[in-house]
């Protein structure tokens, strides 16, 4: 049986689990409604107390929707960060914090970091198994967008060769990210630093944007990329090439005139070569080579704990909502206590009375859960836009099977618990009900 289950596709397994979660409610409906048709009476009760019913269903929807949206958002953020780091196979930097350098190199978070010297970069760039060794130079910005110095090969790799316009051909040309505050043909002067502390006009040389990258779903969409030589030049440093050498941009660089770089993004010829390079360039006192994906995995492990905490919090919240729903059903049942007592006095079977009350509760629960799913979808979409705007990481959160299972489990459990207020009505004396 276990092998048969494992042979099923993930979608089929999820669909079977969803049906299994809804099965108790379906069984209850079949048992209680067999031989009865309480629909007209239930519709009358729903319409008679429509405003109270609407508020009750809305409260259920808010509870269900908020829980679903939070869980979906965590998954969307996980997927967005993984996509943002997809192009960064390995990063080499000076020894320090892998997390700090990953945030700087992949997510362009401003940080102060020691530099790798020219000999180290030369060793990396000339390694026979290295296809791209892209030095990165940070520190400048334009209208809060980071200005990053690098080489043309890395820009081409980052864009998969789909650059609108063209690649730079001179020192003071630039390629803008998809959401950068400068378009093709615009000129700008970078500020030194980032944010409120940036020094406007610290660099007098203007750059002209000649190309634009396609969207990548990462903070690089908001960046402006320039030749690494330009970053060194505007800071009064050597440009990585000998003074008497032919004017050029990009590698090969002369180690003697290489000012240094905080990080080198490395792309190897194969996955096996990448692992070998990490071992080779991990040196305690000189260099630190790491996989951004591995650092993210550690973060995901922490986020997994957060997800479990969020799930536990959601379950606790749903339990509290369940108690509130039961109390609400008790209160709502008292609104039509006299009508039910009259039915009992006229000889209506107890199972019919239970079917009416349970169907009434089931209608409210089903409506609230369905509305909650829609509300969760809308909330997840809004939260995704907010997180994307704040982090520059493309987050596309949507409700999946996990959220559907949670909603179905809540609905099924509440349908079973709805028997309690129905049973309590039958225990109440008919005479007191008629006098209410």
């Amino acid at each position: 049986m276990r092998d048969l289950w494992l042979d099923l596709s993930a979608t089929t397994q999820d669909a079977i689990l969803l049906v299994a979660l809804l099965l108790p409610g379906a069984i209850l409906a079949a048992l209680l409604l067999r031989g009865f048709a309480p629909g007209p009476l239930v519709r009358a009760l729903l319409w008679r107390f429509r405003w109270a019913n609407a508020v009750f269903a809305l409260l259920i929807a808010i509870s269900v929707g908020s829980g679903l949206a939070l869980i979906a958002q965590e998954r969307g953020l996980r997927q967005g960060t993984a996509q943002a780091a997809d192009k960064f196979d390995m990063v080499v930097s000076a020894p320090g914090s892998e997390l700090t350098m990953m945030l700087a190199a992949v997510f362009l978070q401003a940080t102060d970091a020691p530099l790798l010297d020219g000999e180290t970069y030369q060793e990396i760039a000339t390694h026979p198994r290295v296809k791209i060794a892209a030095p990165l130079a940070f520190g400048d910005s334009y209208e809060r967008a980071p200005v990053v110095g690098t080489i043309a090969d890395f820009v081409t790799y980052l864009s998969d060769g789909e650059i609108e316009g063209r690649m730079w051909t001179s020192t003071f040309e630039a390629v803008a990210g998809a959401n950068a505050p400068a378009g093709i043909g615009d000129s700008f002067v970078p500020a030194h630093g980032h944010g409120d502390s940036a020094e406007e006009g610290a660099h007098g040389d203007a750059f002209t944007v000649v190309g634009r990258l396609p969207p990548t779903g990462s903070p690089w969409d908001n960046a402006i990329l320039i030749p690494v030589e330009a970053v060194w030049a505007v800071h009064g440093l050597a440009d990585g090439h000998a003074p008497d050498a032919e004017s050029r941009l990009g590698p090969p660089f002369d180690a003697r005139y290489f000012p240094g770089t905080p990080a080198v993004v490395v792309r190897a010829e194969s996955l096996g070569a990448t692992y070998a390079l990490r071992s080779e360039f991990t040196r305690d006192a000189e260099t630190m080579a790491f996989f951004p994906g591995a650092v993210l995995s550690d973060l995901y492990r922490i986020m997994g704990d957060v997800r479990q905490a969020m799930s536990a919090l959601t379950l606790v919240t749903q339990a509290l909502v369940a108690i509130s729903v039961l109390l609400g059903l008790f209160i709502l049942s008292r609104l039509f206590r006299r009508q039910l007592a009259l039915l009992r006095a006229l000889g209506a079977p107890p199972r019919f009375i239970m079917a009416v009350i349970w169907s009434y509760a089931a209608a409210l629960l089903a409506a609230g859960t369905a509305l909650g799913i829609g509300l969760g979808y809308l909330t997840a979409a809004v939260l995704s836009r907010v997180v994307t705007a704040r982090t520059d990481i493309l987050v596309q959160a949507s409700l999946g099977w996990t959220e559907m299972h949670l909603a179905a489990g809540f609905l099924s459990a509440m349908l079973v618990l709805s028997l309690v207020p129905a049973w309590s009505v039958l225990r109440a004396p008919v005479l007191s009900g008629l006098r209410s």
Side-chain angles (χ1 to χ4, degrees):
M1 191 69 180
R2 181 174 179 274
D3 293 338
L4 180 61
W5 174 260
L6 293 176
D7 288 339
L8 298 175
S9 66
T11 302
T12 304
Q13 291 177 357
D14 287 327
I16 292 174
L17 181 57
L18 182 64
V19 172
L21 288 170
L22 293 173
L23 192 58
I27 294 175
L28 269 179
L31 293 175
L32 289 175
L33 302 181
R34 182 166 53 98
F36 296 127
L41 185 55
V42 172
R43 287 194 293 271
L45 292 175
L46 291 172
W47 178 253
R48 173 68 178 81
F49 306 104
R50 54 189 177 275
W51 296 116
N53 294 332
V55 172
F56 190 70
L58 183 60
L59 292 176
I60 296 174
I62 292 174
S63 171
V64 173
S66 59
L68 301 185
L70 287 176
I71 294 177
Q73 196 62 37
E74 186 272 341
R75 186 178 63 251
L77 184 60
R78 183 190 299 249
Q79 293 172 346
T81 53
Q83 178 184 347
D86 186 55
K87 290 284 188 178
F88 295 79
D89 298 344
M90 188 177 79
V91 175
V92 181
S93 67
S97 168
E98 292 183 354
L99 177 60
T100 299
M101 290 312 303
M102 187 270 292
L103 292 175
V106 178
F107 297 100
L108 299 180
Q109 297 297 306
T111 186
D112 292 327
L115 304 179
L116 297 176
D117 59 25
E119 287 77 11
T120 302
Y121 173 78
Q122 190 75 7
E123 183 181 0
I124 298 171
T126 58
H127 195 287
R129 308 188 74 175
V130 171
K131 295 178 65 176
I132 298 176
L136 301 181
F138 312 112
D140 295 335
S141 63
Y142 173 67
E143 294 186 2
R144 295 186 176 272
V147 175
V148 183
T150 187
I151 60 175
D153 287 345
F154 179 67
V155 179
T156 303
Y157 166 66
L158 197 64
S159 64
D160 292 323
E162 299 179 359
I163 299 176
E164 179 186 355
R166 62 176 177 85
M167 178 55 65
W168 60 61
T169 56
S170 64
T171 303
F172 292 101
E173 291 182 339
V175 174
N179 301 324
I184 296 177
D186 293 342
S187 295
F188 67 95
V189 177
H192 182 67
H194 294 267
D196 296 333
S197 61
E199 300 177 21
E200 299 290 343
H203 307 311
D205 299 292
F207 290 80
T208 301
V209 178
V210 297
R212 181 178 286 278
L213 298 176
T216 64
S218 74
W220 289 77
D221 287 342
N222 196 45
I224 301 175
L225 310 182
I226 62 176
V228 67
E229 291 91 343
V231 176
W232 293 330
V234 297
H235 289 87
L237 304 173
D239 66 358
H241 304 285
D244 56 351
E246 181 181 353
S247 177
R248 60 172 299 149
L249 295 177
F253 293 106
D254 191 323
R256 295 172 298 173
Y257 300 96
F258 190 88
T261 178
V264 179
V265 179
V266 177
R267 176 167 171 76
E269 59 185 14
S270 65
L271 180 61
T274 305
Y275 277 93
L277 288 169
R278 184 183 66 168
S279 299
E280 185 171 345
F281 289 108
T282 299
R283 304 166 185 170
D284 291 339
E286 300 179 13
T287 57
M288 174 181 68
F290 63 93
F291 301 151
V295 179
L296 281 175
S297 295
D298 293 336
L299 283 179
Y300 294 157
R301 193 174 301 114
I302 298 174
M303 290 177 66
D305 295 338
V306 173
R307 181 185 179 89
Q308 292 178 1
M310 290 171 59
S311 299
L313 181 61
T314 301
L315 291 176
V316 171
T317 303
Q318 297 302 323
L320 294 175
V321 170
I323 296 173
S324 302
V325 168
L326 288 178
L327 292 176
L329 290 175
F330 276 110
I331 295 171
L332 289 175
S333 64
R334 294 187 66 86
L335 293 177
F336 45 86
R337 181 183 176 187
R338 187 171 181 224
Q339 290 88 339
L340 294 176
L342 181 60
L343 287 175
R344 293 174 63 191
L346 292 174
R351 188 162 62 86
F352 177 76
I353 302 298
M354 285 198 69
V356 170
I357 301 172
W358 185 84
S359 298
Y360 169 77
L364 293 179
L365 289 167
T369 303
L371 185 60
I373 292 174
L375 185 62
Y377 181 86
L378 179 63
T379 304
V382 172
L383 286 176
S384 294
R385 292 193 176 188
V386 172
V387 173
T388 298
R390 293 290 181 88
T391 64
D392 294 323
I393 299 171
L394 180 61
V395 177
Q396 296 176 314
S398 61
L399 303 188
W401 284 109
T402 300
E403 291 74 32
M404 295 299 103
H405 293 159
L406 181 62
F410 170 78
L411 176 60
S412 187
M414 289 310 306
L415 289 177
V416 174
L417 292 175
S418 296
L419 290 173
V420 178
W423 178 71
S424 69
V425 169
L426 290 179
R427 286 180 55 88
V430 175
L431 187 58
S432 64
L434 290 173
R435 290 174 175 174
S436 62

